[in-house]
């Protein structure tokens, strides 16, 4: 199997880590070589010492992109789960990696504040965290993501199935019969999006 990169983007709490781990498990079960680069883990290792200025955020995302490039080139499936707030840097990574699938975990801010699994939004409200993406620092939504997940409306399983089915339609992974779970309308929506992006 050839390598490719799945790039999860979205604000904190949108479901990037949960879904990336589910996809990792499934691809490993199918015998593929997979590596997950989680934004929090990278911050504590590869990008330790970087802050949250635009310059530092850009450096962090470029570093993750470069590692994904190396993994993809060696036929590993690289899964990046990082907020990656700026379109320009995501676009740079897309151009560098080539076999790149962007997954936008879309979720309204009020739902994210309610979920708040790490308590970060509460800290922002108390003024304990500054330059927080989506609050006082921008998050630029993707314009050309291959997969858009509405994680406030879909179950985790629906979002997961949408990812797997799209990868099958793009011929990155072999079919598993998951299409049986979709209505004709849902299947056509996925195909329509891939057609609009020139994949099928």
């Amino acid at each position: 199997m050839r390598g490719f990169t799945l790039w999860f983007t979205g604000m904190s709490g949108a479901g990037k880590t949960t879904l990336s781990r589910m996809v990792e498990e499934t691809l490993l079960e199918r015998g593929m070589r997979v590596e997950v680069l989680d934004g929090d883990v990278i911050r504590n290792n590869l990008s330790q010492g970087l802050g949250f200025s635009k310059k530092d955020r850009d450096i962090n995302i470029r570093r993750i992109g470069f590692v994904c490039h190396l993994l993809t080139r060696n036929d590993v499936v690289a899964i990046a789960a990082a907020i990656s707030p700026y379109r320009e840097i995501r676009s740079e990574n897309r151009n560098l990696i080539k076999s790149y699938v962007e997954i936008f975990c879309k979720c309204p801010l009020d739902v994210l504040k309610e979920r708040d699994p790490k308590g970060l939004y509460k800290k922002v409200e108390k003024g304990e965290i500054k330059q927080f993406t989506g609050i006082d620092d921008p998050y630029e939504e993707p314009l050309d993501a291959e997969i858009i997940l509405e994680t406030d409306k879909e179950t985790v399983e629906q979002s997961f199935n949408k990812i797997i089915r799209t990868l099958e339609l793009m011929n990155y992974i072999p079919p598993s019969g998951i299409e049986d779970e979709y209505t004709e309308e849902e299947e056509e929506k996925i195909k329509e999006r891939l057609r609009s992006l020139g994949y099928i």
Side-chain angles (χ1 to χ4, degrees), residues 87-101:
R87 287 186 196 121
E88 181 185 359
I89 309 304
R90 292 195 303 262
S91 180
E92 275 184 26
N93 285 337
R94 177 188 289 276
N95 291 333
L96 173 68
I97 297 165
K98 310 295 183 201
S99 298
Y100 175 99
V101 179

Side-chain angles (χ1 to χ4, degrees), residues 39 42-44 46-61 63 83 85-86 129-133 137:
I42 294 292
R43 277 271 177 191
N44 289 326
L46 188 64
S47 293
Q48 198 172 43
L50 289 179
F52 292 91
S53 65
K54 183 178 185 308
K55 181 181 175 185
D56 281 0
R57 287 177 195 266
D58 288 351
I59 291 170
N60 182 44
I61 298 305
R63 286 180 182 173
I83 294 172
Y86 302 112
I129 299 177
K130 302 289 184 189
Q131 291 181 288
F132 195 80
T133 298
D137 217 63

Side-chain angles (χ1 to χ4, degrees), residues 42-175:
I42 294 292
R43 277 271 177 191
N44 289 326
N45 295 280
L46 188 64
S47 293
Q48 198 172 43
L50 289 179
F52 292 91
S53 65
K54 183 178 185 308
K55 181 181 175 185
D56 281 0
R57 287 177 195 266
D58 288 351
I59 291 170
N60 182 44
I61 298 305
R62 281 194 181 105
R63 286 180 182 173
I64 297 174
F66 184 69
V67 175
C68 287
H69 165 64
L70 296 179
L71 291 168
T72 298
R73 195 173 67 182
N74 286 284
D75 291 332
V76 176
V77 179
I79 302 177
I83 294 172
S84 40
Y86 302 112
R87 287 186 196 121
E88 181 185 359
I89 309 304
R90 292 195 303 262
S91 180
E92 275 184 26
N93 285 337
R94 177 188 289 276
N95 291 333
L96 173 68
I97 297 165
K98 310 295 183 201
S99 298
Y100 175 99
V101 179
E102 195 163 86
I103 302 172
F104 176 28
C105 294
K106 184 178 182 180
C107 188
L109 184 57
D110 58 335
V111 176
L112 296 173
K113 285 181 177 179
E114 195 174 319
R115 288 181 185 167
D116 204 11
K118 300 175 187 171
L120 297 176
Y121 289 96
K122 286 186 178 63
K123 287 185 179 179
V124 172
E125 286 176 2
K126 291 177 185 173
E128 296 172 9
I129 299 177
K130 302 289 184 189
Q131 291 181 288
F132 195 80
T133 298
I135 306 288
D136 54 359
D137 217 63
Y139 177 78
E140 298 172 354
E141 292 191 359
L143 300 175
D144 53 1
E146 281 76 9
I147 305 172
I148 300 172
L149 307 174
E150 297 188 75
T151 64
D152 60 318
K153 298 174 184 168
E154 303 165 358
T155 65
V156 174
E157 288 72 24
Q158 286 172 326
S159 294
F160 166 76
N161 287 340
K162 191 187 284 187
I163 296 168
I164 297 299
R165 182 60 186 143
T166 304
L167 293 177
E168 290 172 352
L169 288 169
M170 295 174 80
N171 292 316
Y172 277 117
I173 59 176

